[in-house]
């Protein structure tokens, strides 16, 4: 006992797992390998199986075992050899053409019954019946059963040794068992194929959902980067233009502009680095001390800082606020980004003498109206369609709001952006 325990303790984990593997799992694993080999080499498998049964039939003929059940022991050897081969060789086509195989065996089975040879190789017809039940419509079994029983009746009538029920009933039961096994295997195979097809469809749907989610996330990231980088670069551009103008007249103002450029660029770089760090998936915020620093999205409380940065870039901004903001974070972010994009476009396209006016009106149940106007040149920005306006419309659509953006009505000059988010729908 100690030697056995020591030997088991020194076995590798893989050997122990195999030793503990249940017999059913082992049989299933071997069965899967056999089926896989059969799918790769169907003809080779058919040749081996047909060769096995041909060999068994020849052994029965050469060894004289057929004499134990025959009705006529005086049959010539060439006839017995012909019947043995005629009832076994057609098995080569039992899977591809089971009906043809059974019809090919039928004349030899009839001669076998008429002459009274009663070779046991005739029972190989049950293997063909199994494949008929497995691969052909159920109605095929009716004529196959009738054909086999008719031939078996010939033996009973021409060489009566036992009563008809002792001969025909066992043959009928054999056919029923072979057909039942074939139907069972076919049902299980169809069920397995249905499960595999469903798994494939679920995998395709999962991949499609992943692609849609990735596309939505890319659009969200592009929108955020546009809002962050576009706004800060517009502020930096305005500060640089103002600093260049003031450098020849007021060096102190030029130095202030350079300081503002430095502060704004560092802020943009910090926000960009934070956004890119969030996209990295190799960090675990709970475990890695070098995980990216997270910060909340901007809200309405950050509007003053946003407007101050725009004013420092040389754009006069006036604000009018009605009501008290009671918006959830998502709506606050939408309002903030729309105002940011509107001011960014004014900085980029309105011209040096433009001014901007922001009107905020907070209503009950989370409704809000925002109007941003400027006194610039008006017209579409650069005559092109960028990411700014589509991004604002996407954000607005999240809350079933409306967004209008276009030139102001004459005689007013400039551009107007009007946002309205309706009341929050009850959950």
């Amino acid at each position: 006992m100690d030697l056995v325990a020591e030997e088991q303790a020194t076995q590798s984990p893989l050997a122990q797992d195999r030793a503990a593997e249940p017999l059913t799992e082992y049989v299933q694993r071997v069965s899967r390998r056999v089926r896989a080999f059969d799918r790769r080499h169907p003809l080779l498998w058919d040749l081996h199986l047909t060769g096995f049964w041909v060999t068994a039939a020849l052994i029965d003929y050469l060894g004289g075992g057929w004499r134990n059940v025959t009705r006529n022991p005086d049959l010539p050897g060439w006839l017995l050899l012909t019947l043995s081969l005629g009832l076994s060789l057609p098995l080569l086509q039992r899977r591809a053409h089971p009906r043809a195989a059974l019809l090919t065996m039928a004349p030899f089975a009839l001669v076998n019954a008429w002459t009274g040879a009663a070779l046991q190789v005739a029972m190989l017809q049950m293997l063909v019946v199994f494949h008929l039940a497995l691969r052909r419509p159920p109605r095929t079994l009716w004529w196959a059963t009738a054909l086999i029983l008719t031939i078996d009746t010939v033996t009973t009538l021409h060489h009566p040794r036992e009563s008809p029920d002792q001969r025909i009933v066992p043959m009928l039961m054999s056919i029923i068992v072979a057909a039942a096994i074939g139907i069972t295997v076919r049902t299980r195979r169809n069920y397995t194929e249905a499960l595999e097809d469903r798994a494939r469809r679920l995998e395709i749907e999962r991949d499609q959902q992943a692609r849609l989610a990735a596309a939505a996330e890319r659009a969200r990231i592009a929108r955020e980067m546009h809002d962050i980088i576009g706004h800060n670069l517009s502020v930096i551009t305005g500060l640089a233009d103002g600093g260049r103008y003031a450098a020849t007249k007021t060096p102190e103002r030029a130095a202030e502009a350079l300081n503002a450029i430095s502060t704004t660029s560092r802020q943009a770089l910090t926000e960009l680095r934070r956004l890119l760090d969030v996209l990295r998936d190799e960090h675990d915020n709970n475990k890695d001390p070098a995980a990216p620093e997270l910060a909340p999205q901007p809200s309405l409380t950050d509007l003053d800082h946003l407007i101050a940065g725009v004013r420092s870039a040389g754009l006069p901004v006036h604000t009018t606020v009605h009501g008290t903001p009671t918006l959830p974070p998502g709506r606050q972010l939408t309002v903030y980004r729309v105002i940011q994009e509107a001011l960014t476009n004014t900085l980029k396209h309105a011209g040096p003498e433009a001014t901007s006016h922001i009107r905020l009106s907070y209503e009950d149940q989370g409704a809000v109206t925002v109007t941003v106007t400027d006194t610039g040149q008006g017209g579409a920005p650069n005559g092109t369609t960028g990411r700014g306006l589509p991004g604002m419309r996407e954000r607005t659509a999240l809350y079933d709001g409306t967004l209008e953006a276009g030139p102001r009505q004459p005689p007013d000059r400039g551009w107007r952006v009007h946002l309205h988010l309706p009341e929050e729908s009850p959950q």
Side-chain angles (χ1 to χ4, degrees):
M1 294 295 292
D2 295 338
L3 292 176
V4 174
E6 183 178 356
E7 181 180 356
Q8 292 179 351
T10 56
Q11 287 181 345
S12 64
L14 180 59
Q16 294 178 2
D17 290 342
R18 288 180 176 176
E21 183 180 19
L23 179 60
T24 55
E25 294 185 5
Y26 174 78
V27 172
Q28 290 176 1
R29 179 161 54 86
V30 174
S31 177
R32 286 195 296 268
R33 291 181 178 178
V34 171
R35 289 196 299 269
F37 178 83
D38 184 24
R39 286 192 296 269
R40 293 193 300 268
H41 311 284
L43 180 60
L44 183 61
W45 182 259
D46 288 341
L47 287 173
H48 276 78
L49 186 62
T50 303
F52 171 81
W53 288 114
V54 170
T55 303
L58 293 178
I59 291 175
D60 182 59
Y61 156 65
L62 296 174
W66 61 278
R67 296 181 182 275
N68 298 326
V69 295
T70 185
R71 268 76 167 171
N72 186 2
D74 299 326
L75 293 172
W78 65 267
L79 179 60
L80 296 172
L81 177 61
T82 302
L83 294 177
S84 298
L85 295 178
L87 290 169
S88 57
L89 285 177
L91 290 179
L92 188 62
Q93 295 295 321
R94 74 193 188 283
R95 293 198 293 183
H97 306 286
R99 287 179 294 186
L102 186 62
L103 292 175
T104 303
M105 298 169 72
F108 298 94
L110 181 60
V111 174
N112 180 57
W114 181 264
T115 59
L119 296 177
Q120 295 298 304
V121 69
M123 293 300 297
L124 291 179
Q125 295 176 100
M126 299 302 103
L127 187 58
V128 181
V129 170
F130 165 79
H131 284 281
L132 282 172
L134 181 64
R135 304 173 188 279
R136 293 294 181 265
R139 62 178 180 272
T140 309
L141 295 173
W142 292 108
W143 69 261
T145 302
L147 177 63
I148 296 174
L149 291 180
T150 300
I151 295 174
D152 201 59
T153 303
V154 172
T155 302
T156 304
L157 297 178
H158 198 258
H159 300 278
R161 176 178 293 183
E162 60 268 336
S163 61
D165 60 324
Q166 291 177 330
R167 177 71 186 180
I168 296 177
V169 172
M171 180 60 69
L172 179 60
M173 294 302 299
S174 299
I175 296 174
I176 292 174
V177 170
I181 295 175
I183 293 173
T184 301
V185 174
R186 180 175 187 168
T187 303
R188 180 176 176 82
R189 179 180 296 178
N190 292 340
Y191 178 71
T192 302
E193 290 176 354
L195 291 179
E196 292 176 351
D197 180 68
R198 181 185 179 189
R200 284 193 296 269
R201 287 188 285 106
L202 290 176
E203 184 177 357
I204 293 174
E205 292 177 3
R206 181 199 64 190
D207 294 341
Q208 290 176 344
Q209 292 295 332
R211 286 193 293 268
L212 292 175
E217 186 65 13
R218 285 195 297 269
R220 187 188 68 82
I221 293 169
R223 189 168 58 239
E224 292 293 335
M225 292 189 68
H226 173 271
D227 292 341
I228 294 172
I229 305 303
H231 172 74
N232 285 285
L233 287 180
S234 298
V235 172
I236 291 173
T237 301
L239 290 171
D241 291 340
R244 182 180 56 185
Y245 176 78
T248 57
K249 298 182 179 181
T250 311
E252 296 80 5
R253 295 290 301 276
E256 293 177 0
L258 290 176
N259 290 333
I261 290 175
S262 176
T263 302
T264 304
S265 61
R266 285 192 181 92
Q267 179 183 355
L269 184 61
T270 300
E271 294 183 4
L272 178 61
R273 184 181 295 114
R274 182 182 295 118
L275 179 61
L276 295 178
D277 285 344
V278 170
L279 300 180
R280 299 171 60 187
D281 58 0
E282 65 266 24
H283 293 295
D284 185 350
N285 292 335
N286 297 324
K287 299 179 181 179
D288 192 347
E293 179 185 357
L294 303 180
Q297 292 277 25
S299 61
L300 295 178
T301 57
D302 300 304
L303 274 180
D304 293 339
H305 179 72
L306 172 68
I307 295 172
V310 173
R311 286 171 177 165
S312 65
L315 175 65
V317 180
H318 307 282
T319 60
T320 303
V321 179
H322 299 284
T324 303
T326 57
L327 302 179
R331 291 182 170 235
Q332 292 190 38
L333 177 62
T334 298
V335 173
Y336 180 92
R337 292 303 190 194
V338 168
I339 294 175
Q340 182 186 53
E341 180 62 24
L343 295 177
T344 300
N345 288 336
T346 300
L347 279 173
K348 292 167 61 177
H349 309 293
E353 302 298 330
T355 61
S356 180
H357 194 172
I358 302 173
R359 296 180 180 84
L360 278 164
S361 177
Y362 300 106
E363 304 170 17
D364 296 333
Q365 303 298 326
V368 60
T369 301
V370 181
T371 304
V372 183
T373 57
D374 63 57
T375 59
Q377 298 174 358
N382 292 337
T384 60
T385 301
R387 292 183 178 273
L389 291 178
M392 287 193 290
R393 290 193 173 94
E394 290 173 3
R395 293 183 184 277
T396 304
L398 292 176
Y399 300 98
D400 298 326
T402 57
L403 180 76
E404 301 174 2
R408 300 172 66 184
Q409 296 295 326
D412 297 329
R413 296 180 52 198
W415 194 263
R416 174 180 177 270
V417 175
H418 180 77
L419 166 70
H420 176 72
L421 299 182
E423 298 180 358
E424 295 184 82
S425 59
Q427 298 297 327

